[in-house]
Amino acid sequence: MKHSKMFVALVAAAALLPLTAPAAYAAVPGNDVPSGAVTLTIGQTWTEDTTEATTDALDAALNQKCGAPFTNASVWFTYTDPTGAGFMADLTASSYAGGFIVTAGDPSAADVVACGPDAVAVRGGAGTTYYLMAFSDNATLGGTLSVTVSAAPPAPEVMVTVDPRGTAYKDGTARVSGTYSCSNADGYSSDIEGELTQTVGRMKITGFLSAYPLECDGVVHPWEALVVSPTGMFAGGKAANVTVGFACGLIDCSAFETHATIQLDRGRTRI
C-alpha cells in the first residue's frame, strides 16, 4: 500500500515538471563536399544555413591559386553552361561576407577559372560543368548563405577622345585632356594610359600619362592628366600622343586606342 501511494505521488510530481526537449542543432549541409554539390540554374537563388559547414584540405589547395584570407564554412554548387554564354554568381545577400572559387570540372583537378569576393563571373565552353565553392572569407563560421546565379554581364565598352590642344608649363610638365565613356565595367579596374612625345631641338621628350579611376556608367566624362618626362622639358609646340582606355569587368577587358597630334600652348606655372 505504501509503495502504491509513493508511486502515485511520484507521477503527480512529474506531471508538475516543465516539459523540455533537447536543443536543436544545425546539421552539416549535404553540399559540404563536392560530391553533394547543389545544382543551380540561371535565375535561381539558393539559401541555406552554413553554421555547421566545414573547410578541408581541398579548400586549402584550391585557395593557393586565389589567396582568400579564409575559406570557412565552405559549401559546393554546380552550374552547367548550355551555350558558353557564361554566368555570374553573387552571395552579397548572405548574413556574412564571403567569396567564391570556381573550377571547370572536378575540383580535385584544380582547374581554377575564377575566384574572388562577393561575386564571380565566368564565360567558357558550351556544356562545361563548373563547380562553385562558396565560403566565408573571414573568421565568421557560417550563417545564412544566399547564392544567386544570373546571366553573365555583357562585355565592357570604353571610348576615349583627346583634345587637340594642351598646355606646356614653365616647369617642363604638360597637361592633356579629353573625354571618355565606360560601361559594363568596374571603374577601379579601368583607366586611361598614354604617351606624349615631343621633339625639342635635338632632344626627344617622352612622358607618360594616366587617369584613374573611371566612372563606368555609360555617360561621357572629361578627363585630364599631367605628363612628366624623365628625358627633358615639354615646351610650346606640337606633340604626338597615343592614348588607350582600358575597361575591365568581372570577366572581360576591353581597350580603345587613339592617336592624336596635340598643340601644346605655353602656360604659366601650374597650380
Side-chain angles (χ1 to χ4, degrees), residues 107-133:
S108 64
D111 184 11
V112 176
V113 295
C115 54
D118 299 334
V120 290
V122 175
R123 206 184 318 277
T128 301
T129 294
Y130 297 93
Y131 280 76
L132 297 79
M133 183 178 79

Side-chain angles (χ1 to χ4, degrees), residues 167-175 226 233-234 265-271:
T167 304
Y169 296 105
K170 290 183 178 181
D171 63 0
T173 62
R175 187 174 297 277
L226 189 69
M233 300 174 65
F234 289 105
D265 299 323
R266 296 179 184 274
R268 293 176 296 177
T269 303
R270 61 186 172 87
I271 298 176

Side-chain angles (χ1 to χ4, degrees), residues 6 23 53 68 72-73 81 91 114 148 159 192 196 241:
M6 183 179 297
N72 286 330
D81 190 343
L91 55 65
T148 298
M159 185 276 295
I192 294 171
L196 187 67
N241 169 256

Side-chain angles (χ1 to χ4, degrees), residues 134-268:
F135 55 88
S136 167
D137 61 4
N138 54 74
T140 301
L141 300 178
T144 301
L145 174 70
S146 180
V147 173
T148 298
V149 175
S150 57
E157 296 181 359
V158 61
M159 185 276 295
V160 180
T161 69
V162 178
D163 293 334
R165 306 191 80 89
T167 304
Y169 296 105
K170 290 183 178 181
D171 63 0
T173 62
R175 187 174 297 277
V176 297
S177 60
T179 65
Y180 75 89
S181 64
C182 172
S183 58
N184 307 322
D186 175 10
Y188 286 93
S189 299
S190 308
D191 69 350
I192 294 171
E193 301 176 14
E195 180 181 276
L196 187 67
T197 303
Q198 184 182 48
T199 300
V200 180
R202 296 182 178 181
M203 295 186 63
K204 184 177 182 180
I205 314 301
T206 300
F208 298 93
L209 63 91
S210 177
Y212 166 89
L214 304 186
E215 293 288 338
C216 290
D217 54 6
V219 176
V220 175
H221 296 275
W223 68 270
E224 65 175 26
L226 189 69
V227 189
V228 179
S229 173
T231 61
M233 300 174 65
F234 289 105
K238 293 183 178 181
N241 169 256
V242 178
T243 296
V244 182
F246 294 97
C248 292
L250 280 173
I251 307 176
D252 315 293
C253 288
S254 296
F256 181 94
E257 182 175 313
T258 183
H259 296 247
T261 298
I262 300 175
Q263 176 64 41
L264 295 179
D265 299 323
R266 296 179 184 274
R268 293 176 296 177

Side-chain angles (χ1 to χ4, degrees), residues 73-95:
S74 64
V75 289
W76 288 89
F77 303 90
T78 62
Y79 173 76
T80 300
D81 190 343
T83 64
F87 68 96
M88 182 173 75
D90 186 298
L91 55 65
T92 54
S94 303
S95 67

